[in-house]
Amino acid sequence: MNFETALASRAAEIGGFLSERLADLPEGPVTEAMRYSLDGGKRLRGFLVIESAAIFGIPSAHAMPAAGAIEALHAYSLVHDDLPAMDDDDTRRGKPTVHVKWDEATAILTGDALQSLAFELVAQGDLPAARKLDLSHSLALRAGARGMVRGQALDIAAESAGQALDQAAIEELQACKTGALIVWSCAAGPLMAGEDTQPLCRYADALGLAFQIADDILDIEGDAATVGKAVGKDADRGKATFVSLLGLDGAKRRARTLVDDACDALSPFGAAAEPLRGAARFVVSRQS
Amino acid sequence: MNFETALASRAAEIGGFLSERLADLPEGPVTEAMRYSLDGGKRLRGFLVIESAAIFGIPSAHAMPAAGAIEALHAYSLVHDDLPAMDDDDTRRGKPTVHVKWDEATAILTGDALQSLAFELVAQGDLPAARKLDLSHSLALRAGARGMVRGQALDIAAESAGQALDQAAIEELQACKTGALIVWSCAAGPLMAGEDTQPLCRYADALGLAFQIADDILDIEGDAATVGKAVGKDADRGKATFVSLLGLDGAKRRARTLVDDACDALSPFGAAAEPLRGAARFVVSRQS
């Protein structure tokens, strides 16, 4: 099975799990918008959770609530990031964003409820309580003012100051903004197993950065229909990106080096880590 | 020690705990706004956590992280509720709201980070992992699309439809919007002890409703300087409240009956529940 087929198959499983968990929510616009924003997407983070767990012999059914949790948390961050007061985006995954399809209040509440849902899910399923608590605590740390929210705040501050960030500053920003959830996803496996998270965190640091560089490249080279959101926006805004700093070829070279670094970090795990190696190659070759 | 002195003393302890936990966050507008929005307030929910735990012999130091967590979650809900797209309030606790003092993006991110902080805190401290996981899971359920967020969504929907709700609908809305976190706060004690949450949930249901009725009365009778936020707003908007439904005297009578119901639910606990009885009497007599 090639990587994209494996990813699509996991995405479908995670989607099925999420639909089931959302089935008993009271009907209303927030529940509808939660379903809408959880629908589609590659579910790369959920895939990373399941495959990082598989390395430690944890069955996918046991890892599934954590995979659903990270997808819910990621969906919340997209819904809030798209708001007019934030990145002001009208399209996401080729569909109108939540605040466009509903309204701003619904988008704020939907994001809020998706964050709660993430912590609801991560506390469920067949793992020892102490492991689930570790997952939950670590998710809170990665999501909050030290992690993803900090990355988003740095991004907005840089943009509103019209500040051109240097490479170190962009790498820090991205390590928080995109990296925090990717690191959690990869650390989830060893956390579930009570094992050292270090090697997978090293993998995830490289993967997260490669992912972001690839995003910047897509913003230049991609076409909006395939990418599913507006492209060329960062360049139009004069925002410093890896491409503006390193040039298109330099950015591609850096991304390839990071893929090698990511794969190197997986060497202790042999063949069991092959799906994660596939993920690293995939993030820099994807067209959307 | 009278009730208000006891409440103020617990509020100071919880404030001290939160300041300490926020001390190591990276500096920036979101961290500043988190501190700002956690500053002040009666910390009634945190008090309920500590006193419901005390009934089961749990020391306040062990209950403190959960008390801090509910205050963080409550603060997040206020910051988001005050946003222009939601209740559009400029003043809170006698100070400018976060989106006025900073901006909307900062307010959205601050609320988001405060929610993460709540789940970070609830996973900490000297309780068995299984108990902390119960607290966390239950908090996620009460906060999300079944609980507080649902209440807020119902409130916004009713207002934008110009719909006059009947008493049953308002009670349902308030049970979600205000009640969900109050119920969690009171259930926290038995959850920490692994005991039946039923009697304290009964107490909390009555308390939460009494609290909301008292709020509606304050919106009519209070003055803005004492209450610390705009008053008369609900009446000006033609919003259905307990006062508009029951009249001022009827609302006061209903609140007093609810205080009696709340105290009745505490009868199994004898003198150990005296602080919670004080809380019930307090919520209907408070001036702010």
Side-chain angles (χ1 to χ4, degrees):
Chain A
M1 190 153 60
N2 74 20
F3 178 78
E4 291 193 49
T5 313
L7 179 63
S9 147
R10 287 292 185 216
E13 284 174 51
I14 298 167
F17 170 84
L18 285 168
S19 301
E20 214 174 274
R21 294 306 156 115
L22 288 167
D24 69 337
L25 287 185
E27 284 312 316
V30 170
T31 297
E32 265 180 69
M34 286 171 80
R35 289 204 183 100
Y36 179 82
S37 48
L38 282 167
D39 186 40
K42 291 178 293 292
R43 307 200 198 278
L44 177 68
R45 290 157 193 79
F47 177 90
L48 294 172
V49 168
I50 291 177
E51 296 304 338
S52 75
I55 291 182
F56 296 90
I58 300 194
S60 68
H62 292 197
M64 193 56 79
I70 197 67
E71 290 297 330
L73 203 92
H74 178 53
Y76 123 63
S77 78
L78 298 181
V79 173
H80 279 190
D81 284 3
D82 287 338
L83 282 166
M86 309 270 278
D87 293 350
D88 194 14
D89 277 310
D90 290 347
T91 327
R92 166 74 64 185
R93 294 172 181 163
K95 301 185 300 185
T97 48
V98 173
H99 66 93
V100 168
K101 195 170 160 77
W102 284 270
D103 52 43
E104 276 184 60
T106 303
I108 294 165
L109 290 171
T110 297
D112 290 345
L114 285 167
Q115 181 171 188
S116 304
L117 177 67
F119 289 99
E120 180 187 331
L121 292 175
V122 87
Q124 296 179 345
D126 284 326
L127 289 170
R131 302 293 181 228
K132 290 190 281 191
L133 189 71
D134 285 348
L135 286 171
S136 181
H137 187 227
S138 154
L139 185 60
L141 289 170
R142 301 275 178 201
R146 291 172 186 81
M148 188 180 70
V149 167
R150 175 169 154 80
Q152 185 66 16
L154 289 171
D155 200 11
I156 287 175
E159 193 160 348
S160 73
Q163 216 180 327
L165 300 179
D166 62 15
Q167 194 173 339
I170 293 198
E171 292 203 5
E172 191 204 344
L173 187 160
Q174 294 302 345
C176 291
K177 189 176 165 176
T178 319
L181 297 197
I182 290 183
V183 171
W184 185 86
S185 305
C186 299
L191 281 176
M192 287 181 211
E195 298 280 353
D196 181 15
T197 57
Q198 199 88 46
L200 281 165
C201 286
R202 269 217 302 139
Y203 161 79
D205 284 337
L207 181 75
L209 199 50
F211 185 90
Q212 190 54 48
I213 294 175
D215 236 34
D216 288 351
I217 295 171
L218 274 176
D219 190 61
I220 301 293
E221 291 194 329
D223 85 293
T226 314
V227 178
K229 60 181 179 185
V231 295
K233 234 181 130 174
D234 292 343
D236 292 350
R237 284 175 177 169
K239 195 165 164 177
T241 69
F242 289 102
V243 175
S244 69
L245 279 167
L246 306 173
L248 201 49
D249 286 344
K252 286 180 180 177
R253 267 198 307 276
R254 177 94 176 99
R256 280 194 299 270
T257 309
L258 285 164
V259 170
D260 293 341
D261 293 350
C263 291
D264 283 351
L266 297 173
S267 55
F269 306 112
E274 202 46 39
L276 295 184
R277 288 187 197 94
R281 289 186 292 261
F282 169 74
V283 297
V284 300
S285 67
R286 71 203 159 94
Q287 301 303 310
S288 70
Chain B
M1 186 154 61
N2 75 21
F3 178 78
E4 291 193 50
T5 314
L7 180 62
S9 147
R10 285 293 186 215
E13 283 174 51
I14 298 166
F17 170 83
L18 286 168
S19 301
E20 215 173 273
R21 293 306 156 112
L22 289 167
D24 69 336
L25 287 185
E27 284 310 316
V30 170
T31 297
E32 265 179 70
M34 287 171 80
R35 290 205 182 98
Y36 180 82
S37 48
L38 282 167
D39 186 40
K42 292 179 291 292
R43 306 198 197 283
L44 178 67
R45 291 158 192 78
F47 177 90
L48 293 171
V49 168
I50 291 177
E51 296 303 338
S52 74
I55 290 181
F56 297 90
I58 301 198
S60 69
H62 292 198
M64 193 56 79
I70 197 67
E71 290 297 330
L73 203 93
H74 178 53
Y76 125 61
S77 77
L78 299 181
V79 173
H80 280 190
D81 285 2
D82 288 338
L83 282 165
M86 308 270 278
D87 294 350
D88 195 13
D89 277 309
D90 290 347
T91 327
R92 167 73 65 185
R93 294 172 181 164
K95 300 186 301 187
T97 47
V98 172
H99 65 93
V100 168
K101 194 169 160 80
W102 284 270
D103 51 45
E104 277 183 59
T106 304
I108 295 165
L109 291 171
T110 298
D112 290 345
L114 285 166
Q115 180 169 191
S116 303
L117 177 67
F119 289 99
E120 179 186 331
L121 292 175
V122 87
Q124 297 179 343
D126 284 325
L127 289 170
R131 302 292 183 230
K132 290 190 280 192
L133 189 71
D134 285 347
L135 286 171
S136 181
H137 187 226
S138 155
L139 185 60
L141 289 170
R142 301 275 178 200
R146 289 172 187 81
M148 188 179 71
V149 166
R150 175 170 153 79
Q152 185 66 17
L154 290 171
D155 200 10
I156 287 175
E159 193 159 349
S160 72
Q163 214 179 330
L165 300 179
D166 62 16
Q167 195 174 336
I170 293 198
E171 291 202 7
E172 191 204 346
L173 187 161
Q174 293 303 344
C176 292
K177 188 176 166 177
T178 321
L181 298 197
I182 290 182
V183 171
W184 185 86
S185 305
C186 299
L191 281 176
M192 287 180 213
E195 298 280 353
D196 180 16
T197 58
Q198 199 88 46
L200 281 165
C201 286
R202 269 218 301 140
Y203 161 79
D205 284 337
L207 181 75
L209 200 49
F211 185 90
Q212 189 55 48
I213 295 175
D215 236 35
D216 288 351
I217 295 171
L218 273 176
D219 190 61
I220 302 292
E221 290 194 328
D223 84 292
T226 314
V227 178
K229 61 181 178 185
V231 295
K233 233 180 129 174
D234 293 343
D236 292 350
R237 284 176 178 169
K239 195 166 165 176
T241 70
F242 290 102
V243 175
S244 69
L245 279 167
L246 307 173
L248 201 50
D249 287 345
K252 286 180 180 176
R253 267 196 308 277
R254 177 93 176 100
R256 280 193 300 269
T257 309
L258 285 164
V259 170
D260 292 342
D261 293 350
C263 291
D264 283 352
L266 297 173
S267 55
F269 306 113
E274 203 45 40
L276 295 184
R277 288 187 196 93
R281 289 185 292 263
F282 170 74
V283 297
V284 300
S285 67
R286 71 205 159 93
Q287 300 303 309
S288 71

